[in-house]
Amino acid sequence: MTSPRLRTDAAANRARILEVARDTFAAEGLGVPMSEIARRAGLGVATLYRRFPTKQDLVAEAFAEQMSQCAGMLDAALADPDPWRAFCRVVTEVCAMQARDRGFSAAFVSAFPDTAQFCALRERAEQGFAELIRRAQDAGALRRDFDVADLPLVLLANGGIRAGSPEATANASRRLVAYLLQSFRAEGAAALPPPTVIPLDTALL
Amino acid sequence: MTSPRLRTDAAANRARILEVARDTFAAEGLGVPMSEIARRAGLGVATLYRRFPTKQDLVAEAFAEQMSQCAGMLDAALADPDPWRAFCRVVTEVCAMQARDRGFSAAFVSAFPDTAQFCALRERAEQGFAELIRRAQDAGALRRDFDVADLPLVLLANGGIRAGSPEATANASRRLVAYLLQSFRAEGAAALPPPTVIPLDTALL
DNA sequence: GTAGAAGTGGAGCATGTCCTCCACTTCCAT
DNA sequence: ATGGAAGTGGAGGACATGCTCCACTTCTAC
Protein backbone atom coordinates (compact mmCIF):
# COMPACT_ATOMS: atom_id res chain seq x y z
CA MET A 1 0.00 0.00 0.00
CA THR A 2 2.36 2.70 1.21
CA SER A 3 5.08 1.13 -0.95
CA PRO A 4 7.93 3.64 -0.78
CA ARG A 5 8.66 4.02 2.91
CA LEU A 6 8.57 7.53 4.29
CA ARG A 7 11.63 9.30 5.53
CA THR A 8 11.83 9.07 9.30
CA ASP A 9 10.97 12.72 9.96
CA ALA A 10 8.10 12.56 7.49
CA ALA A 11 6.75 9.44 9.15
CA ALA A 12 6.83 11.17 12.52
CA ASN A 13 5.03 14.17 11.11
CA ARG A 14 2.41 11.95 9.53
CA ALA A 15 1.80 10.25 12.86
CA ARG A 16 1.52 13.58 14.62
CA ILE A 17 -1.01 14.78 12.08
CA LEU A 18 -3.17 11.74 12.68
CA GLU A 19 -2.94 12.11 16.43
CA VAL A 20 -3.89 15.77 16.31
CA ALA A 21 -6.67 15.09 13.81
CA ARG A 22 -8.16 12.37 16.01
CA ASP A 23 -8.19 14.54 19.11
CA THR A 24 -9.47 17.58 17.29
CA PHE A 25 -12.20 15.82 15.35
CA ALA A 26 -13.34 14.04 18.48
CA ALA A 27 -13.51 17.25 20.47
CA GLU A 28 -14.84 19.66 17.89
CA GLY A 29 -16.30 17.67 15.04
CA LEU A 30 -15.31 17.50 11.41
CA GLY A 31 -15.85 21.22 10.89
CA VAL A 32 -12.33 22.05 11.99
CA PRO A 33 -10.34 23.58 9.10
CA MET A 34 -7.35 21.75 7.71
CA SER A 35 -5.21 24.78 8.44
CA GLU A 36 -6.10 24.48 12.10
CA ILE A 37 -5.06 20.83 12.21
CA ALA A 38 -1.81 21.80 10.52
CA ARG A 39 -1.23 24.59 12.99
CA ARG A 40 -1.79 22.35 15.99
CA ALA A 41 0.56 19.78 14.54
CA GLY A 42 3.19 22.49 14.07
CA LEU A 43 3.28 21.95 10.32
CA GLY A 44 2.38 23.75 7.14
CA VAL A 45 -0.79 23.01 5.25
CA ALA A 46 1.13 21.64 2.30
CA THR A 47 2.63 18.87 4.40
CA LEU A 48 -0.79 17.85 5.50
CA TYR A 49 -2.09 17.73 1.96
CA ARG A 50 0.97 15.81 0.79
CA ARG A 51 0.12 13.00 3.20
CA PHE A 52 -3.65 13.20 2.87
CA PRO A 53 -4.58 14.51 -0.56
CA THR A 54 -8.05 15.40 0.59
CA LYS A 55 -9.79 16.12 3.87
CA GLN A 56 -11.86 12.99 3.44
CA ASP A 57 -8.69 10.94 3.34
CA LEU A 58 -7.54 12.41 6.61
CA VAL A 59 -10.89 11.83 8.24
CA ALA A 60 -10.99 8.27 6.96
CA GLU A 61 -7.59 7.40 8.40
CA ALA A 62 -8.24 9.25 11.63
CA PHE A 63 -11.34 7.17 12.28
CA ALA A 64 -10.06 3.85 10.96
CA GLU A 65 -9.11 2.78 14.46
CA GLN A 66 -12.56 3.38 15.88
CA MET A 67 -13.95 1.59 12.90
CA SER A 68 -12.23 -1.64 13.80
CA GLN A 69 -12.93 -1.00 17.48
CA CYS A 70 -16.60 -1.13 16.52
CA ALA A 71 -16.08 -4.40 14.74
CA GLY A 72 -14.35 -5.74 17.84
CA MET A 73 -17.30 -4.77 20.00
CA LEU A 74 -19.60 -6.66 17.71
CA ASP A 75 -17.45 -9.78 17.84
CA ALA A 76 -17.33 -9.63 21.61
CA ALA A 77 -21.09 -9.34 21.75
CA LEU A 78 -21.56 -12.25 19.37
CA ALA A 79 -19.50 -14.35 21.76
CA ASP A 80 -21.76 -13.48 24.69
CA PRO A 81 -24.02 -16.39 25.67
CA ASP A 82 -26.78 -14.08 26.94
CA PRO A 83 -28.52 -12.69 23.82
CA TRP A 84 -30.25 -9.77 25.51
CA ARG A 85 -27.13 -8.66 27.30
CA ALA A 86 -25.20 -8.94 24.04
CA PHE A 87 -27.77 -6.80 22.24
CA CYS A 88 -27.73 -4.17 24.97
CA ARG A 89 -23.97 -4.11 25.05
CA VAL A 90 -23.65 -3.35 21.38
CA VAL A 91 -26.23 -0.61 21.41
CA THR A 92 -24.85 0.91 24.58
CA GLU A 93 -21.22 0.81 23.54
CA VAL A 94 -21.71 2.09 20.02
CA CYS A 95 -23.84 4.93 21.29
CA ALA A 96 -21.33 5.78 23.98
CA MET A 97 -18.60 5.91 21.38
CA GLN A 98 -20.72 8.11 19.19
CA ALA A 99 -21.47 10.45 22.08
CA ARG A 100 -17.82 10.65 23.03
CA ASP A 101 -16.66 11.51 19.54
CA ARG A 102 -18.28 14.48 17.88
CA GLY A 103 -17.05 13.61 14.42
CA PHE A 104 -17.73 9.90 14.60
CA SER A 105 -21.06 9.59 12.85
CA ALA A 106 -20.27 12.34 10.40
CA ALA A 107 -17.09 10.49 9.52
CA PHE A 108 -19.11 7.37 8.84
CA VAL A 109 -21.00 8.93 5.99
CA SER A 110 -18.72 11.69 4.82
CA ALA A 111 -15.44 9.86 4.69
CA PHE A 112 -16.25 6.39 3.47
CA PRO A 113 -18.82 6.94 0.78
CA ASP A 114 -18.08 3.72 -1.06
CA THR A 115 -14.61 2.38 -0.52
CA ALA A 116 -14.60 -1.39 -0.82
CA GLN A 117 -13.07 -1.78 2.62
CA PHE A 118 -15.79 0.22 4.25
CA CYS A 119 -18.61 -1.52 2.44
CA ALA A 120 -17.30 -4.88 3.56
CA LEU A 121 -17.09 -3.68 7.15
CA ARG A 122 -20.57 -2.29 7.05
CA GLU A 123 -21.93 -5.46 5.49
CA ARG A 124 -20.38 -7.52 8.25
CA ALA A 125 -21.67 -5.21 10.94
CA GLU A 126 -25.17 -5.42 9.55
CA GLN A 127 -25.14 -9.18 9.38
CA GLY A 128 -23.66 -9.48 12.85
CA PHE A 129 -26.25 -7.16 14.30
CA ALA A 130 -29.04 -8.99 12.50
CA GLU A 131 -27.79 -12.17 14.13
CA LEU A 132 -27.83 -10.51 17.54
CA ILE A 133 -31.39 -9.37 16.95
CA ARG A 134 -32.50 -12.84 15.88
CA ARG A 135 -30.98 -14.46 18.96
CA ALA A 136 -32.45 -11.90 21.35
CA GLN A 137 -35.87 -12.27 19.76
CA ASP A 138 -35.72 -16.06 19.85
CA ALA A 139 -34.84 -15.85 23.52
CA GLY A 140 -38.03 -13.84 24.04
CA ALA A 141 -36.13 -10.85 25.34
CA LEU A 142 -36.34 -8.50 22.39
CA ARG A 143 -39.69 -7.46 20.99
CA ARG A 144 -40.69 -9.25 17.78
CA ASP A 145 -41.27 -6.08 15.78
CA PHE A 146 -37.78 -4.73 16.38
CA ASP A 147 -36.27 -4.20 12.95
CA VAL A 148 -32.69 -4.07 11.66
CA ALA A 149 -33.44 -0.54 10.50
CA ASP A 150 -33.97 0.43 14.12
CA LEU A 151 -30.24 0.49 14.74
CA PRO A 152 -29.64 3.36 12.29
CA LEU A 153 -32.65 4.97 13.89
CA VAL A 154 -31.05 4.76 17.32
CA LEU A 155 -27.74 6.00 15.98
CA LEU A 156 -29.35 8.94 14.26
CA ALA A 157 -31.26 9.84 17.39
CA ASN A 158 -28.24 9.43 19.59
CA GLY A 159 -26.21 11.49 17.16
CA GLY A 160 -28.60 14.35 17.74
CA ILE A 161 -27.66 14.51 21.41
CA ARG A 162 -25.29 17.38 22.02
CA ALA A 163 -25.21 18.95 25.44
CA GLY A 164 -22.73 21.59 26.50
CA SER A 165 -19.76 19.63 27.80
CA PRO A 166 -18.54 16.20 26.74
CA GLU A 167 -19.66 14.82 30.10
CA ALA A 168 -23.14 16.28 29.77
CA THR A 169 -23.41 14.83 26.29
CA ALA A 170 -22.32 11.43 27.52
CA ASN A 171 -24.83 11.55 30.37
CA ALA A 172 -27.69 12.63 28.14
CA SER A 173 -26.83 9.93 25.64
CA ARG A 174 -26.78 7.30 28.37
CA ARG A 175 -30.21 8.29 29.54
CA LEU A 176 -31.64 8.24 26.04
CA VAL A 177 -30.19 4.80 25.37
CA ALA A 178 -31.55 3.52 28.67
CA TYR A 179 -35.01 4.73 27.73
CA LEU A 180 -34.78 3.14 24.31
CA LEU A 181 -33.50 -0.21 25.56
CA GLN A 182 -36.44 -0.42 27.94
CA SER A 183 -38.85 0.05 25.08
CA PHE A 184 -37.02 -2.61 23.08
CA ARG A 185 -37.80 -5.28 25.66
CA ALA A 186 -40.43 -7.77 24.64
CA GLU A 187 -42.58 -7.39 27.74
CA GLY A 188 -44.97 -4.50 27.45
CA ALA A 189 -44.53 -4.05 23.72
CA ALA A 190 -47.43 -2.12 22.19
CA ALA A 191 -47.97 -1.50 18.48
CA LEU A 192 -45.53 0.68 16.55
CA PRO A 193 -45.55 2.56 13.27
CA PRO A 194 -43.65 0.52 10.64
CA PRO A 195 -39.87 0.84 10.34
CA THR A 196 -38.23 2.93 7.62
CA VAL A 197 -35.08 2.16 5.71
CA ILE A 198 -32.68 4.99 6.15
CA PRO A 199 -30.28 5.78 3.30
CA LEU A 200 -27.02 6.38 5.13
CA ASP A 201 -25.62 8.97 2.75
CA THR A 202 -28.40 11.47 3.22
CA ALA A 203 -28.79 10.70 6.87
CA LEU A 204 -26.16 12.98 8.30
CA LEU A 205 -25.65 16.50 7.13
CA MET B 1 -43.26 48.34 16.29
CA THR B 2 -43.07 48.76 12.52
CA SER B 3 -43.96 52.43 13.01
CA PRO B 4 -43.54 53.93 9.53
CA ARG B 5 -45.76 51.78 7.33
CA LEU B 6 -44.15 50.25 4.28
CA ARG B 7 -44.99 51.26 0.78
CA THR B 8 -47.47 48.82 -0.72
CA ASP B 9 -45.02 47.22 -3.14
CA ALA B 10 -42.42 46.93 -0.42
CA ALA B 11 -44.93 45.28 1.88
CA ALA B 12 -45.79 42.75 -0.81
CA ASN B 13 -42.12 42.01 -1.37
CA ARG B 14 -41.57 41.58 2.32
CA ALA B 15 -44.42 39.11 2.51
CA ARG B 16 -43.06 37.20 -0.46
CA ILE B 17 -39.64 37.00 1.14
CA LEU B 18 -41.11 35.52 4.29
CA GLU B 19 -43.17 33.02 2.33
CA VAL B 20 -40.19 31.88 0.29
CA ALA B 21 -37.98 31.77 3.37
CA ARG B 22 -40.45 29.60 5.27
CA ASP B 23 -40.77 27.10 2.44
CA THR B 24 -37.07 27.01 1.72
CA PHE B 25 -35.92 26.71 5.31
CA ALA B 26 -38.46 23.98 5.94
CA ALA B 27 -37.37 22.00 2.91
CA GLU B 28 -33.61 22.51 3.01
CA GLY B 29 -32.67 23.76 6.44
CA LEU B 30 -31.10 27.02 7.50
CA GLY B 31 -28.03 26.45 5.35
CA VAL B 32 -29.63 28.02 2.31
CA PRO B 33 -27.79 31.22 1.30
CA MET B 34 -29.54 34.54 1.50
CA SER B 35 -28.84 35.09 -2.19
CA GLU B 36 -30.81 31.94 -2.98
CA ILE B 37 -33.81 33.16 -0.99
CA ALA B 38 -33.59 36.47 -2.80
CA ARG B 39 -33.39 34.74 -6.17
CA ARG B 40 -36.45 32.59 -5.47
CA ALA B 41 -38.38 35.63 -4.34
CA GLY B 42 -37.40 37.42 -7.57
CA LEU B 43 -35.63 40.16 -5.67
CA GLY B 44 -32.13 41.46 -5.15
CA VAL B 45 -30.13 40.65 -2.06
CA ALA B 46 -30.15 44.26 -0.95
CA THR B 47 -33.93 44.27 -0.66
CA LEU B 48 -33.77 41.26 1.54
CA TYR B 49 -31.19 42.84 3.81
CA ARG B 50 -33.13 46.08 3.97
CA ARG B 51 -36.10 44.24 5.47
CA PHE B 52 -34.14 41.78 7.56
CA PRO B 53 -30.81 43.32 8.53
CA THR B 54 -29.35 39.95 9.36
CA LYS B 55 -30.05 36.35 8.47
CA GLN B 56 -31.02 35.68 12.06
CA ASP B 57 -33.75 38.27 11.80
CA LEU B 58 -35.18 36.58 8.73
CA VAL B 59 -35.07 33.18 10.37
CA ALA B 60 -36.69 34.54 13.50
CA GLU B 61 -39.61 36.05 11.63
CA ALA B 62 -39.97 33.07 9.33
CA PHE B 63 -40.44 30.74 12.28
CA ALA B 64 -42.49 33.03 14.46
CA GLU B 65 -45.69 31.42 13.22
CA GLN B 66 -44.59 27.92 14.14
CA MET B 67 -43.52 29.29 17.47
CA SER B 68 -47.03 30.33 18.38
CA GLN B 69 -48.37 27.16 16.79
CA CYS B 70 -46.32 25.31 19.39
CA ALA B 71 -47.78 27.41 22.15
CA GLY B 72 -51.24 26.60 20.83
CA MET B 73 -50.52 22.90 20.92
CA LEU B 74 -49.49 23.20 24.52
CA ASP B 75 -52.65 25.06 25.47
CA ALA B 76 -54.79 22.46 23.74
CA ALA B 77 -53.01 19.72 25.63
CA LEU B 78 -53.44 21.51 28.95
CA ALA B 79 -57.17 21.55 28.28
CA ASP B 80 -57.27 17.79 27.73
CA PRO B 81 -58.84 15.97 30.69
CA ASP B 82 -56.76 12.82 30.11
CA PRO B 83 -53.24 13.62 31.40
CA TRP B 84 -51.43 10.80 29.62
CA ARG B 85 -53.08 11.52 26.30
CA ALA B 86 -52.23 15.20 26.75
CA PHE B 87 -48.62 14.38 27.43
CA CYS B 88 -48.39 12.07 24.41
CA ARG B 89 -50.04 14.61 22.19
CA VAL B 90 -47.57 17.33 22.99
CA VAL B 91 -44.55 15.10 22.50
CA THR B 92 -45.93 13.59 19.31
CA GLU B 93 -47.01 16.85 17.75
CA VAL B 94 -43.89 18.80 18.56
CA CYS B 95 -41.72 16.01 17.24
CA ALA B 96 -43.79 15.72 14.08
CA MET B 97 -43.41 19.43 13.52
CA GLN B 98 -39.70 19.19 14.06
CA ALA B 99 -39.43 16.29 11.63
CA ARG B 100 -41.44 18.12 9.01
CA ASP B 101 -39.35 21.25 9.19
CA ARG B 102 -35.65 20.89 8.65
CA GLY B 103 -34.77 24.28 10.01
CA PHE B 104 -37.11 24.20 12.97
CA SER B 105 -34.85 23.18 15.82
CA ALA B 106 -31.89 25.04 14.41
CA ALA B 107 -34.05 28.15 14.29
CA PHE B 108 -34.91 27.70 17.94
CA VAL B 109 -31.38 28.14 19.11
CA SER B 110 -29.78 30.15 16.34
CA ALA B 111 -32.38 32.80 15.81
CA PHE B 112 -33.69 33.66 19.23
CA PRO B 113 -30.64 33.71 21.44
CA ASP B 114 -32.17 36.02 24.02
CA THR B 115 -34.93 38.21 22.77
CA ALA B 116 -37.35 38.97 25.56
CA GLN B 117 -40.29 37.70 23.55
CA PHE B 118 -38.66 34.35 23.01
CA CYS B 119 -37.58 33.93 26.60
CA ALA B 120 -41.12 34.55 27.77
CA LEU B 121 -42.47 32.00 25.33
CA ARG B 122 -39.91 29.43 26.36
CA GLU B 123 -40.61 30.07 30.02
CA ARG B 124 -44.29 29.50 29.47
CA ALA B 125 -43.68 26.34 27.46
CA GLU B 126 -41.46 24.95 30.18
CA GLN B 127 -43.99 25.64 32.91
CA GLY B 128 -46.84 24.25 30.86
CA PHE B 129 -44.95 21.12 30.08
CA ALA B 130 -43.93 20.72 33.70
CA GLU B 131 -47.61 20.91 34.59
CA LEU B 132 -48.42 18.20 32.03
CA ILE B 133 -45.73 16.00 33.51
CA ARG B 134 -47.01 16.51 37.04
CA ARG B 135 -50.57 15.61 36.06
CA ALA B 136 -49.54 12.52 34.10
CA GLN B 137 -47.37 11.35 36.97
CA ASP B 138 -50.09 11.96 39.54
CA ALA B 139 -52.45 9.93 37.38
CA GLY B 140 -49.96 7.08 37.57
CA ALA B 141 -49.50 7.01 33.81
CA LEU B 142 -46.09 8.62 33.48
CA ARG B 143 -43.08 7.13 35.23
CA ARG B 144 -42.02 8.98 38.37
CA ASP B 145 -38.44 9.54 37.29
CA PHE B 146 -39.38 11.32 34.07
CA ASP B 147 -37.72 14.70 34.24
CA VAL B 148 -38.48 18.07 32.64
CA ALA B 149 -35.04 17.84 31.03
CA ASP B 150 -36.23 14.77 29.17
CA LEU B 151 -38.19 16.89 26.74
CA PRO B 152 -35.08 18.62 25.35
CA LEU B 153 -33.54 15.16 25.27
CA VAL B 154 -36.36 13.86 23.11
CA LEU B 155 -36.21 16.92 20.88
CA LEU B 156 -32.48 16.58 20.43
CA ALA B 157 -32.82 12.91 19.60
CA ASN B 158 -35.71 13.50 17.25
CA GLY B 159 -33.78 16.32 15.62
CA GLY B 160 -31.09 13.83 14.74
CA ILE B 161 -33.50 11.86 12.58
CA ARG B 162 -32.92 12.65 8.94
CA ALA B 163 -33.81 10.04 6.37
CA GLY B 164 -33.72 10.63 2.65
CA SER B 165 -37.14 12.02 1.81
CA PRO B 166 -39.42 14.14 3.98
CA GLU B 167 -41.80 11.18 4.21
CA ALA B 168 -39.07 8.80 5.31
CA THR B 169 -37.96 11.31 7.93
CA ALA B 170 -41.50 11.68 9.20
CA ASN B 171 -41.93 7.90 9.38
CA ALA B 172 -38.65 7.36 11.16
CA SER B 173 -39.45 10.12 13.61
CA ARG B 174 -42.86 8.62 14.34
CA ARG B 175 -41.31 5.28 15.12
CA LEU B 176 -38.72 6.79 17.41
CA VAL B 177 -41.34 8.76 19.29
CA ALA B 178 -43.52 5.67 19.63
CA TYR B 179 -40.60 3.77 21.14
CA LEU B 180 -39.86 6.60 23.54
CA LEU B 181 -43.44 7.09 24.65
CA GLN B 182 -43.67 3.42 25.52
CA SER B 183 -40.63 3.71 27.74
CA PHE B 184 -42.11 6.78 29.39
CA ARG B 185 -45.10 4.80 30.67
CA ALA B 186 -45.06 4.09 34.36
CA GLU B 187 -45.63 0.36 34.08
CA GLY B 188 -42.39 -1.53 33.54
CA ALA B 189 -40.14 1.36 34.48
CA ALA B 190 -36.65 0.17 35.37
CA ALA B 191 -33.85 2.33 36.78
CA LEU B 192 -32.33 5.08 34.62
CA PRO B 193 -29.15 7.12 34.64
CA PRO B 194 -29.88 10.58 36.08
CA PRO B 195 -31.14 13.35 33.80
CA THR B 196 -28.88 16.09 32.51
CA VAL B 197 -29.71 19.73 32.03
CA ILE B 198 -29.06 20.65 28.46
CA PRO B 199 -27.93 24.21 27.71
CA LEU B 200 -30.00 25.06 24.66
CA ASP B 201 -27.45 27.34 23.01
CA THR B 202 -24.81 24.68 22.60
CA ALA B 203 -27.30 21.97 21.89
CA LEU B 204 -27.71 22.38 18.19
CA LEU B 205 -24.88 23.01 15.82
C1' DG C 1 31.08 15.57 2.75
C1' DT C 2 27.83 15.86 -0.84
C1' DA C 3 24.32 15.36 -4.43
C1' DG C 4 19.86 14.85 -5.10
C1' DA C 5 15.59 12.91 -3.70
C1' DA C 6 12.25 13.71 -0.30
C1' DG C 7 10.08 16.87 2.45
C1' DT C 8 8.43 21.52 3.88
C1' DG C 9 6.11 26.20 4.50
C1' DG C 10 3.39 29.82 3.34
C1' DA C 11 1.55 32.67 -0.19
C1' DG C 12 -2.27 32.44 -2.97
C1' DC C 13 -6.16 30.54 -6.05
C1' DA C 14 -11.02 29.09 -6.22
C1' DT C 15 -15.23 28.99 -4.14
C1' DG C 16 -18.95 30.10 -1.21
C1' DT C 17 -21.38 32.97 2.16
C1' DC C 18 -22.85 37.12 4.76
C1' DC C 19 -23.45 41.60 4.18
C1' DT C 20 -22.63 46.79 2.32
C1' DC C 21 -22.52 50.49 -1.03
C1' DC C 22 -24.45 53.40 -4.23
C1' DA C 23 -26.32 54.69 -8.63
C1' DC C 24 -30.75 53.95 -10.35
C1' DT C 25 -36.04 53.22 -10.29
C1' DT C 26 -40.71 53.36 -8.39
C1' DC C 27 -44.38 55.02 -5.76
C1' DC C 28 -47.36 58.57 -3.73
C1' DA C 29 -48.76 63.12 -1.54
C1' DT C 30 -49.21 67.25 -3.32
C1' DA D 1 -47.55 65.93 -13.39
C1' DT D 2 -43.81 65.97 -10.33
C1' DG D 3 -40.35 66.20 -6.53
C1' DG D 4 -38.40 63.67 -3.33
C1' DA D 5 -38.63 59.93 -0.07
C1' DA D 6 -38.78 55.13 -0.24
C1' DG D 7 -37.36 51.20 -2.47
C1' DT D 8 -34.32 48.33 -5.49
C1' DG D 9 -30.54 45.53 -7.87
C1' DG D 10 -26.19 43.86 -8.51
C1' DA D 11 -21.35 44.52 -8.01
C1' DG D 12 -18.11 43.69 -4.78
C1' DG D 13 -15.80 43.86 0.21
C1' DA D 14 -14.72 40.87 3.99
C1' DC D 15 -13.95 36.55 5.57
C1' DA D 16 -13.57 31.50 5.80
C1' DT D 17 -12.11 27.11 3.91
C1' DG D 18 -10.35 23.37 0.71
C1' DC D 19 -6.56 22.82 -1.91
C1' DT D 20 -2.15 23.98 -5.14
C1' DC D 21 2.33 25.89 -6.45
C1' DC D 22 6.99 26.41 -6.02
C1' DA D 23 11.17 28.18 -4.04
C1' DC D 24 13.56 26.59 -0.15
C1' DT D 25 15.29 23.15 3.53
C1' DT D 26 16.46 18.62 5.39
C1' DC D 27 17.54 14.03 5.41
C1' DT D 28 20.12 10.02 3.78
C1' DA D 29 22.65 6.86 0.58
C1' DC D 30 26.93 6.92 -1.11
Side-chain angles (χ1 to χ4, degrees):
Chain A
M1 285 296 144
T2 323
S3 312
R5 266 224 293 292
L6 286 176
R7 230 164 64 178
T8 56
D9 56 339
N13 283 341
R14 200 191 126 97
R16 188 141 29 99
I17 289 170
L18 271 178
E19 193 188 319
V20 169
R22 265 192 278 267
D23 293 352
T24 311
F25 287 150
E28 303 173 34
L30 299 188
V32 182
M34 290 293 263
S35 53
E36 179 59 21
I37 307 257
R39 203 187 56 75
R40 293 193 196 181
L43 295 167
V45 221
T47 304
L48 208 157
Y49 278 101
R50 170 171 286 256
R51 291 311 150 224
F52 307 94
T54 185
K55 190 175 184 178
Q56 268 198 5
D57 295 332
L58 175 60
V59 172
E61 279 232 27
F63 283 92
E65 192 187 338
Q66 301 210 327
M67 224 55 196
S68 49
Q69 206 173 322
C70 267
M73 285 173 2
L74 221 179
D75 288 336
L78 280 167
D80 192 322
D82 179 339
W84 174 248
R85 193 177 56 194
F87 175 86
C88 287
R89 261 175 57 179
V90 167
V91 173
T92 307
E93 286 172 9
V94 172
C95 285
M97 191 174 218
Q98 192 188 16
R100 203 179 312 126
D101 234 313
R102 283 198 68 160
F104 184 63
S105 20
F108 243 84
V109 299
S110 107
F112 319 91
D114 40 23
T115 64
Q117 192 196 6
F118 173 61
C119 282
L121 219 65
R122 193 163 64 96
E123 193 78 21
R124 215 179 111 246
E126 269 172 20
Q127 287 184 3
F129 192 69
E131 171 66 17
L132 280 182
I133 292 174
R134 210 180 46 73
R135 286 190 205 164
Q137 282 175 335
D138 287 352
L142 178 63
R143 55 192 299 163
R144 277 267 150 220
D145 56 356
F146 187 91
D147 194 274
V148 202
D150 284 334
L151 180 63
L153 188 72
V154 172
L155 288 177
L156 243 36
N158 187 60
I161 305 297
R162 254 163 258 174
S165 66
E167 298 79 35
T169 303
N171 287 339
S173 161
R174 259 194 295 277
R175 190 164 166 101
L176 175 73
V177 171
Y179 269 134
L180 285 173
L181 285 177
Q182 288 190 25
S183 62
F184 293 160
R185 286 237 57 152
E187 293 144 13
L192 279 176
T196 311
V197 251
I198 295 170
L200 262 185
D201 26 339
T202 47
L204 269 155
L205 199 75
Chain B
M1 283 294 147
T2 321
S3 313
R5 265 222 295 292
L6 285 176
R7 230 164 63 179
T8 57
D9 56 340
N13 284 339
R14 200 190 126 98
R16 187 139 31 96
I17 289 170
L18 271 177
E19 195 188 317
V20 169
R22 266 192 278 267
D23 294 351
T24 310
F25 287 149
E28 304 172 34
L30 299 189
V32 182
M34 290 293 263
S35 54
E36 179 59 21
I37 308 256
R39 202 186 56 75
R40 294 193 195 181
L43 295 167
V45 219
T47 304
L48 208 157
Y49 278 101
R50 170 172 286 252
R51 289 315 149 223
F52 307 95
T54 185
K55 191 176 184 177
Q56 267 197 6
D57 295 332
L58 176 59
V59 172
E61 278 232 28
F63 283 91
E65 193 187 339
Q66 299 210 327
M67 224 55 194
S68 50
Q69 207 171 324
C70 267
M73 283 171 7
L74 221 179
D75 287 336
L78 280 167
D80 192 323
D82 179 339
W84 173 248
R85 192 176 56 192
F87 174 85
C88 288
R89 261 173 58 176
V90 166
V91 173
T92 306
E93 286 172 10
V94 172
C95 284
M97 191 173 216
Q98 192 188 16
R100 203 178 313 128
D101 236 312
R102 284 198 68 160
F104 184 63
S105 20
F108 245 83
V109 300
S110 106
F112 320 91
D114 38 25
T115 63
Q117 192 197 5
F118 174 61
C119 281
L121 219 63
R122 194 163 64 97
E123 193 77 21
R124 214 179 113 247
E126 270 172 20
Q127 288 185 2
F129 193 69
E131 171 65 17
L132 280 183
I133 292 174
R134 209 180 47 71
R135 288 190 205 164
Q137 282 174 334
D138 287 352
L142 178 63
R143 55 191 300 162
R144 277 266 151 224
D145 55 356
F146 186 92
D147 195 274
V148 201
D150 284 334
L151 180 63
L153 190 70
V154 172
L155 288 177
L156 243 35
N158 186 60
I161 305 297
R162 254 162 259 175
S165 66
E167 298 79 35
T169 304
N171 287 339
S173 162
R174 259 193 294 276
R175 191 166 166 101
L176 176 72
V177 171
Y179 269 134
L180 285 173
L181 284 177
Q182 287 190 25
S183 62
F184 293 159
R185 284 237 58 151
E187 293 144 15
L192 280 176
T196 311
V197 251
I198 294 172
L200 261 186
D201 27 341
T202 47
L204 270 157
L205 198 76

